[in-house]
Amino acid sequence: MSTQPQISVEEQIIDDIGQMTHRPTRFMRYAYEWERGDLAGSTGVRPWQRDVLKTIEQHLTNPKTRHQPCQVAVSSGHGIGKSALVAMLTTWALSSCEDCKVILTANTKTQLDTKTAPEVAKWLRMSINAHWWERAMTSIKVRDARHAATWRADFIPWSVQNSEAFAGLHNKGKRIVLIFDEASAIDDVIWQVAEGALTDEDTEIIWLAFGNPTQNTGRFRECFGSRKHRWYTYQIDSRNVEGTNKDQIAKWITDYGEDSDFVRVRVRGEFPRAGSQQLISSEDVAYARKYKAAGYETLPKVLGIDVARFGDDKTSFAHRQGRFSTILSKHRGLDVAQVTAQAIAYITEHEYDAVVVDSDGIGAPVYDNLKFRGYGKRLFDFHGGKPANNHAAYFNRRAEVWGTMRDWLKAGAQIDDDPELEQDLIGPQYGFSAQNQLQLEKKDDMKVRGLSSPDDGDALAMTFAVMVAAPPAKKKTEY
């Protein structure tokens, strides 16, 4: 009989993970049941993830670098599994070091709340030591009450006006991990404050920055440029990663072009030539929600109709007259006949000088019905994919009308004080084609980012598809 004392399964897990303090690769093999349950079909971490784990491992196992900041930046295309790696690294970092402190932030609070935090929770739940942790809305804490305040991960939205949360990142003699998700859109101020705080001696400091390279300036871009000597950097092409949606990638390349900024950012993990970002600024839209137009009453009236294509989309009717605009109504579930009837009702009420209908897909029969019913004289069909009138500046007509709308808003214009319309207007991102034409993100690709189709925004943008002369001034009656 063995004289060795028997230890419990729990004690064995504690002992095993304690030996993985600087071995994240080994932890990933140990902590997760690959090819079973939720991980059925997954044989382990992906090759690019393994490369990042080995970099961290080599940094920590080397006594000369262990207490110097380990800074890793990953610029990637879409769908490569970066959120999964963020989650696995959070689980390893917490599990393998007593009183470890992890801080996670993201480009937006929505991204942090709906993508980053749930992904971390999922991988924590799947780990062999899931029972060690208490999960709350904005934090993860160890269940041991004696360490709950010091052994934890916190999900903290960033704010330029309140950057103090990133100024107190201290955990001397222990481990601190700072994770930036969708790092390209995190303001430089937060980077600067965080960098100044990560100065504790004899402390394991790991700073991880992940994201699509949407901005060609800023601190995330500098990780791959002027500050590259301080960062371990990876640029990952989605086409080279197992499990990515190759059909979707092929569609993007066909739609936007291999060398477009969209494909550079979303597929190749490369930074754009001229900056890919939100087309219409939040400041301009916020101002337009409070702006009061005047002197527009004699100007031409234009109706834009964006017809819903799918169940989650909506049909929107946008009215514009000079610098005044309003969304007349928005509907879900209307058929072609109902959309046509609603359009006729508005045309009759407002006597529009022009009516523009999105005639791609289901909008085509609406246009045909209106023309058949005798409303063709001032009726215009709109095809967003057609070449722009100013083809040197814009990739297609949709980009052109949105660009015109952006300039209109910037110059001062009245829109509805409606948060849904605001989200539609600020949602689309833009890049540049290989010919340096402004190229607007498609609706379907916004949905991939978790945003709704900007139907109200498209309806309003279509009112800029036509140029309507002002009605002639009425002759003054002479007596």
Side-chain angles (χ1 to χ4, degrees), residues 155-172:
F155 302 94
I156 302 177
W158 63 270
S159 167
V160 173
Q161 291 74 31
N162 183 27
S163 60
E164 290 81 3
F166 298 88
L169 306 179
H170 302 291
N171 200 20
K172 187 172 175 60

Side-chain angles (χ1 to χ4, degrees), residues 241-260:
V241 177
E242 64 184 78
T244 54
N245 189 334
K246 302 301 192 296
D247 290 339
Q248 179 65 64
I249 291 171
K251 181 177 179 293
W252 283 341
I253 293 171
T254 300
D255 289 347
Y256 293 96
E258 167 73 35
D259 204 34
S260 66

Side-chain angles (χ1 to χ4, degrees), residues 54 73 106 123 231 260 353 386 425 432 461:
K54 286 182 178 178
W123 284 87
W231 290 80
S260 66
D353 299 282
K386 282 191 172 181
L425 293 174
F432 291 88

